[in-house]
Amino acid sequence: MISKPIADGIREGRITCQFRRWDEPRVKVGSTQVTSAGLVRFTRVVRVNDVERISDRSARAAGMKDAAALRKALAPKPNRKPSPRGSKGGDTIYRVTLEWAGEDPRLALREEIPSDAELADITARLARLDKRETGPWTREILEWIRDNPRVVSKELAALRRVELLPMKVDVRKLKALGLTISHDVGYELSPRGAAYLAHLDSAR
């Protein structure tokens, strides 16, 4: 995950690399990741054999104060609980070189009113997301967001009687389709999402 301050620094060109403790590289050279500041492209991944040789310059390029601060951040944390993505870190440190690759493509997509063909495509994509043991969920959460815009996510999860982190993952899946907009507090439907729900309502 790339935090907002780091993402902003990458966009501005101040930050050109990141260091990660992994079991093995988790990004591929040439691939991109959507961040709060737009798309970030990974251009190189190399193993760091000796953290003591990391320079202050390299640390500052990663957004850290100096090499000592970076080494402290990279130190093993044996008691650390796994993240929501299931990771406690790894035994190998990697330096990932990266660059800003453009605006988040979802920003333009969410403003577009879908055509009939696009409505059918969205329906098919959501149907695939709905195929899980707990049953369909996409329409329900879209309607919840429509009826409870900008409600803090913790409260929205309580209203829906679901766990917070899995709900956030679900919303990100809908955001990737341009259907929702994330705010500092809560969510709302995008014009594309509102048009899709209107289409479903008209089909009842």
Side-chain angles (χ1 to χ4, degrees):
M1 299 293 287
I2 297 176
S3 67
K4 188 177 188 308
I6 295 298
D8 290 341
I10 296 169
R11 180 180 182 127
E12 295 165 5
R14 295 183 289 103
I15 295 176
T16 57
C17 69
Q18 288 287 277
F19 291 84
R20 291 289 186 269
R21 178 178 285 278
W22 290 327
D23 291 321
E24 59 184 18
R26 296 186 184 175
V27 298
K28 294 182 179 180
V29 173
S31 65
T32 59
Q33 178 177 322
V34 177
T35 74
S36 58
L39 282 180
V40 167
R41 180 183 296 112
F42 306 108
T43 59
R44 191 181 184 200
V45 181
V46 296
R47 179 172 179 164
V48 177
N49 295 315
D50 186 358
V51 294
E52 297 300 323
R53 298 187 64 180
I54 298 176
S55 66
D56 287 339
R57 181 179 180 181
S58 293
R60 287 192 290 271
M64 302 297 289
K65 179 181 178 181
D66 52 32
L70 177 60
R71 283 191 285 269
K72 182 178 180 180
L74 291 173
K77 299 176 178 62
N79 298 322
R80 177 183 174 186
K81 294 181 180 179
S83 71
R85 300 180 72 182
S87 173
K88 291 178 62 176
D91 296 326
T92 305
I93 294 173
Y94 294 90
R95 174 175 174 150
V96 182
T97 306
L98 34 71
E99 63 186 6
W100 190 70
E103 298 290 352
D104 183 343
R106 297 172 302 185
L107 296 180
L109 180 63
R110 69 191 190 188
E111 299 298 324
E112 296 178 1
I113 303 303
S115 64
D116 290 344
E118 289 172 325
L119 288 170
D121 180 65
I122 293 170
T123 298
R125 288 171 181 264
L126 295 186
R128 288 195 290 272
L129 292 178
D130 281 333
K131 289 181 179 179
R132 65 187 190 191
E133 292 183 2
T134 53
W137 58 273
T138 57
R139 181 168 184 169
E140 175 190 311
I141 196 168
L142 285 172
E143 291 176 340
W144 270 98
I145 291 173
R146 179 194 62 194
D147 298 338
N148 300 272
R150 295 179 180 262
V151 171
V152 63
S153 56
K154 185 176 182 180
E155 183 178 338
L156 182 60
L159 286 170
R160 297 187 63 240
R161 298 180 181 179
V162 297
E163 294 183 13
L164 177 60
L165 292 179
M167 186 196 76
K168 284 187 171 184
V169 172
D170 284 345
V171 175
R172 282 199 293 271
K173 293 175 183 178
L174 300 175
K175 184 178 179 180
L177 297 176
L179 302 178
T180 65
I181 300 172
S182 298
H183 296 290
D184 290 338
V185 176
Y187 316 98
E188 69 175 319
L189 289 187
S190 67
R192 189 176 187 84
Y196 178 71
L197 270 190
H199 163 70
L200 293 183
D201 291 340
S202 68
R204 281 180 172 176

